[in-house]
Amino acid sequence: MTPPSFPPAHPDGPAPTSGIPTSPAPAGPRREPAARGYAPAGAGAPASGSAPVGPPGPPPSGQPGGPVGGPPGAAAPAAPAPRRRRLPLVLALVLLLVLAGAGVAVVRPGPVAGWLGEKAEPAGTAAGTTEPSPSAVLGEPDPNAPVPTPDGVRAALDPLVRAAALGDRVNVSVADVATGQSLFARGADDPTVPASVTKLVTGVTVLAARGPAYRIPTRAVAGPNPGEVVVVGGGDPTLAVDGKGFYPGAARLDDLARQVKEALGGTAPTKVIVDSSLYSGPVYEPGWDDDIPTGGYGAAITALMTDGARRDVPQAKKDHENGDHGAERVAQPDLAAGRAFARLLGLPASAVSRGTAPAAADATAGAPGSELGKVESLPLVRMVDIMITDSDNVIAEALARQVALARGKPASFSGAAAAMDEVAGELGLPADELALADGSGLSRTDRISPSLLTDLIALAGDGSHPELAAIFGGLPVGGWSGTLGERYGSEGTKAGAGMVRAKTGTLTGVHAIAGLVTTADGRLLTFAVLTDRVPADGLDSARVALDRIAATLAGCGCR
């Protein structure tokens, strides 16, 4: 049996699809791990949405504003009412068209090419290549497939959501994508600690607020005195020092340094001033576990940094190829970037200090505040793809701040959270079921309801906001890629291999998964399962229990 193939990675980084590969991949041997490049993430990636971090904390339910759930043994409603927002009946057709137009293409036609800064080609052209289109990772759903019944879904899931491995609060939402009908609801509207599935909200809100083609600038301006250069951080976490950076295709400081030297002409650089004042507030969110700053999956969030604040980029690249996304981070990312920039200008580390750029009162080249150079990040469509595929927490926090900046709010944890809540409400999502403290999901004070997630996933695919479909390019595929690459291989879960495409989330005691699943009859469903009272030592058993829920949906007609 031939394993599935993927659209080739963009030469400068991840190449997100603009649609949802939504149906079963062919059964058969797993593909070999892909070369580094994020698209696909490759086999061997860790199986959780983010690595378990920190010691067990107090039960989240004791915190103000926490979820209010029913008793542990409460039964699901016999016939859940349709959700507050019914999706267009044309949705299934839209998904098929998106898949056919982008998910299996060698080139990225239409708006995706524009988002990536490429020349759009007419549909059906080869864009300079005769390479045949690869087959889809997942086959097509059947828009005429029978809809599972609430009774059928309840009969299949009830025993599984009560599994002891999931703890005593398991909140679940399952809905039919084409009709919006709720098929299973157990604490579906109850805000729950989401862990890394928060990144779905971050991705959708930044795509809505900034647009997929937006690029984050890093600028250099003239300082107050001749020879002084101010490097102004714009919030690009993927910025590289040179061509050996962690993120393929990232903007580079050596390019910026070259521009600065040309702009200064005969004036020799004398000092580098680091301006990271775009961000405000604490660099670590107060709700993060104590070990996150040193655990390899988080970092100090500053407006200027290189390589996601990784200390040893060559080692981090090797670890990434082996499926380990953790890495030691520098304590002061902005100063570390400033020192790297100073070296490129021929200056010692002692010539670097923090400060702010002078206002540009004079447009004359070299006048204080005048621009000496600028580089721009990968487009947001690619950054969202990396964030979701690798569950990259640092990128997530940077993107959350872009939402804040787009909405005129402070680029801080609190400002970003308020802005994401605002944008979610503008999109018609139930913002009263959303309370965020960060954009990554590392905070234990985050709350999202399962039904908001299923609404969000369906909205991103219904064609009403084409830019939001970019979140699907990075979603891992069960048994094939990303954080699901090593899952769905056991006897009780293998029905989900190639049928489940979802984002996972893990903190100590918190486990979540949200995404899409195609049933045995070919019906496309969206689902979210969040549980935040799992025993601290129950990581493996909770993960298997979650996978059984999604695999059961994949393997049944549930009628």
Side-chain angles (χ1 to χ4, degrees):
M1 184 74 70
T2 303
S5 59
F6 295 76
H10 188 274
D12 291 332
T17 64
S18 64
I20 313 171
T22 47
S23 303
R30 285 179 45 76
R31 62 181 176 82
E32 293 301 312
R36 181 173 176 269
Y38 302 106
S48 61
S50 59
V53 287
S61 62
Q63 301 174 10
V68 179
R83 287 287 298 151
R84 63 184 69 74
R85 180 175 61 81
R86 293 184 65 84
L87 301 172
L89 293 176
V90 75
L91 175 55
L93 177 60
V94 170
L95 295 178
L96 289 174
L97 292 174
V98 169
L99 175 64
V104 300
V106 174
V107 295
R108 291 171 296 279
V112 181
W115 298 340
L116 295 172
E118 301 170 353
K119 181 180 179 181
E121 296 289 337
T125 64
T129 179
T130 58
E131 182 179 358
S133 296
S135 60
V137 175
L138 306 170
E140 295 180 356
D142 180 0
N144 299 313
V147 182
T149 66
D151 286 345
V153 176
R154 186 178 66 254
L157 296 192
D158 252 346
L160 301 178
V161 299
R162 298 176 189 280
L166 293 176
D168 61 7
R169 177 170 36 222
V170 186
N171 294 334
V172 186
S173 174
V174 179
D176 180 72
V177 171
T179 66
Q181 179 187 9
S182 175
L183 300 175
F184 187 87
R186 187 179 194 265
D189 296 339
D190 292 346
T192 313
V193 183
S196 276
V197 297
T198 302
K199 294 180 177 72
L200 294 175
V201 177
T202 304
V204 161
T205 55
V206 75
L207 289 167
R210 281 294 201 202
Y214 184 80
R215 295 173 184 261
I216 302 170
T218 301
R219 301 168 54 244
V221 303
N225 301 302
E228 294 182 345
V229 179
V230 185
V231 57
V232 183
D236 176 11
T238 66
L239 182 68
V241 176
D242 52 31
K244 300 178 182 179
F246 184 82
Y247 300 100
R252 292 161 44 172
L253 284 178
D254 60 352
D255 184 20
L256 186 63
R258 176 188 54 78
Q259 295 178 45
V260 167
K261 290 176 183 177
E262 291 177 357
L264 289 177
T267 302
T270 59
K271 182 178 181 180
V272 168
I273 300 171
V274 173
D275 184 350
S276 56
S277 61
L278 182 67
Y279 289 0
S280 58
V283 296
Y284 301 111
E285 206 286 312
W288 288 1
D289 288 341
D290 291 341
D291 67 341
I292 287 176
T294 59
Y297 291 89
I301 307 303
T302 56
L304 179 67
M305 65 170 62
T306 57
D307 300 302
R310 290 168 177 83
R311 182 180 296 277
D312 186 341
V313 172
Q315 184 60 49
K317 291 164 76 172
K318 292 178 183 177
D319 292 342
H320 184 279
E321 290 170 357
N322 294 324
D324 180 3
H325 301 313
E328 184 181 0
R329 315 285 172 147
V330 297
Q332 297 177 308
D334 53 346
L335 285 181
R339 291 172 186 135
F341 188 57
R343 288 194 300 272
L344 294 167
L345 293 177
L347 297 174
S350 59
V352 179
S353 63
R354 286 193 178 99
T356 56
D362 186 346
T364 304
S370 63
E371 186 169 283
L372 302 175
K374 182 175 73 172
V375 293
E376 294 184 320
S377 73
L378 297 163
L380 291 190
V381 65
R382 279 202 225 137
M383 295 179 73
V384 169
D385 199 51
I386 297 169
M387 173 187 70
I388 292 176
T389 297
D390 290 348
S391 204
D392 192 311
N393 296 309
V394 177
I395 287 182
E397 297 304 344
L399 294 183
R401 279 162 174 73
Q402 290 300 316
V403 183
L405 292 168
R407 285 294 182 269
K409 297 184 184 298
S412 62
F413 283 107
S414 59
M420 287 192 290
D421 184 272
E422 179 179 292
V423 173
E426 292 170 359
L427 290 170
L429 298 170
D432 58 330
E433 298 173 16
L434 177 69
L436 296 180
D438 63 14
S440 63
L442 288 175
S443 178
R444 292 182 180 274
T445 61
D446 289 330
R447 296 292 185 274
I448 304 176
S449 74
S451 59
L452 183 143
L453 290 167
T454 52
D455 280 359
L456 176 149
I457 292 165
L459 176 67
D462 72 8
S464 62
H465 298 273
E467 70 279 6
L468 304 185
I471 68 164
F472 298 114
L475 277 181
V477 179
W480 298 103
S481 66
T483 54
L484 295 181
E486 298 301 316
R487 293 165 68 162
Y488 297 97
S490 67
E491 186 62 31
T493 65
K494 64 183 181 181
M499 306 285 278
V500 175
R501 191 175 182 107
K503 181 74 191 77
T504 58
T506 304
L507 294 169
T508 303
V510 177
H511 299 272
I513 187 169
L516 295 158
V517 59
T518 306
T519 70
D521 290 332
R523 196 76 187 185
L524 184 64
L525 308 180
T526 177
F527 72 99
V529 186
L530 281 68
T531 177
D532 56 14
R533 291 182 183 174
V534 174
D537 59 354
L539 170 65
D540 292 337
S541 57
R543 183 177 296 156
V544 171
L546 286 178
D547 290 348
R548 283 176 178 159
I549 292 172
T552 296
L553 289 171
C556 81
C558 296
R559 290 181 283 121

